[in-house]
Amino acid sequence: MITRAAALLVLALALPGPPGGAAAAERGAPLETIRDVFAALRACWRPPARPEGPTGMEVTVRLSFRRDGSVLGQPRITYYKTGGTPEQQQAFRTSVTAALAACTPLALSESLGSAIAGRPLTLRFSDNRAT
């Protein structure tokens, strides 16, 4: 069962343009809301370059955070939809791993850290870019 927080996180990664939370993360301000967390994680992902249209690849990752914003345990891939060439698939997986490594630990406020600590969140990375 997907929690409300997980559902919001999936939606936030699919939204175009940087939401306000990304700006907070760039300023070094602590993340105050779950929406800020979504924005910060989405802002870290740099999809791999590709010469042709979208590959349709998707990766869904489930993970939890500690109060200090570090990842609790090992992120787990719960869904993987392949597409493109083997080289494109490897580049896509590498970009997802790099996003999580670059973005964590998150700068969580004390109250947000307490609220999300140990709760599983689901992130979906999807290559559905228009040419």
Side-chain angles (χ1 to χ4, degrees), residues 64-72 103-109 113 116-117:
S64 298
F65 292 97
R66 292 184 179 96
R67 289 175 191 231
D68 66 0
S70 62
V71 175
L72 174 64
C103 211
T104 57
L106 296 170
L108 303 176
S109 68
I116 69 169

Side-chain angles (χ1 to χ4, degrees), residues 7-22 34-36 38-43 45 47 124-126 128-129:
L8 287 173
L9 186 51
V10 170
L11 291 174
L13 289 172
L15 291 173
I34 193 73
R35 186 173 289 272
D36 291 346
F38 308 153
L41 291 169
R42 187 176 56 78
W45 184 44
R124 182 178 52 158
F125 299 87
S126 181
N128 57 3
R129 299 171 279 175

Side-chain angles (χ1 to χ4, degrees), residues 1 8 26 42 56 59 73 131:
M1 181 173 142
L8 287 173
E26 289 171 7
R42 187 176 56 78
V59 172
T131 62

Side-chain angles (χ1 to χ4, degrees), residues 48-117:
R50 57 178 168 60
E52 60 279 339
T55 61
M57 286 184 280
E58 291 182 19
V59 172
T60 302
V61 180
R62 189 172 189 162
L63 72 161
S64 298
F65 292 97
R66 292 184 179 96
R67 289 175 191 231
D68 66 0
S70 62
V71 175
L72 174 64
Q74 187 72 17
R76 186 172 57 149
I77 293 176
T78 59
Y79 177 77
Y80 182 59
K81 177 182 173 187
T82 61
T85 66
E87 294 80 19
Q88 289 171 323
Q89 292 172 16
Q90 180 59 42
F92 189 77
R93 287 190 303 267
T94 300
S95 74
V96 170
T97 303
L100 294 175
C103 211
T104 57
L106 296 170
L108 303 176
S109 68
E110 187 175 328
S111 61
L112 181 60
S114 296
I116 69 169

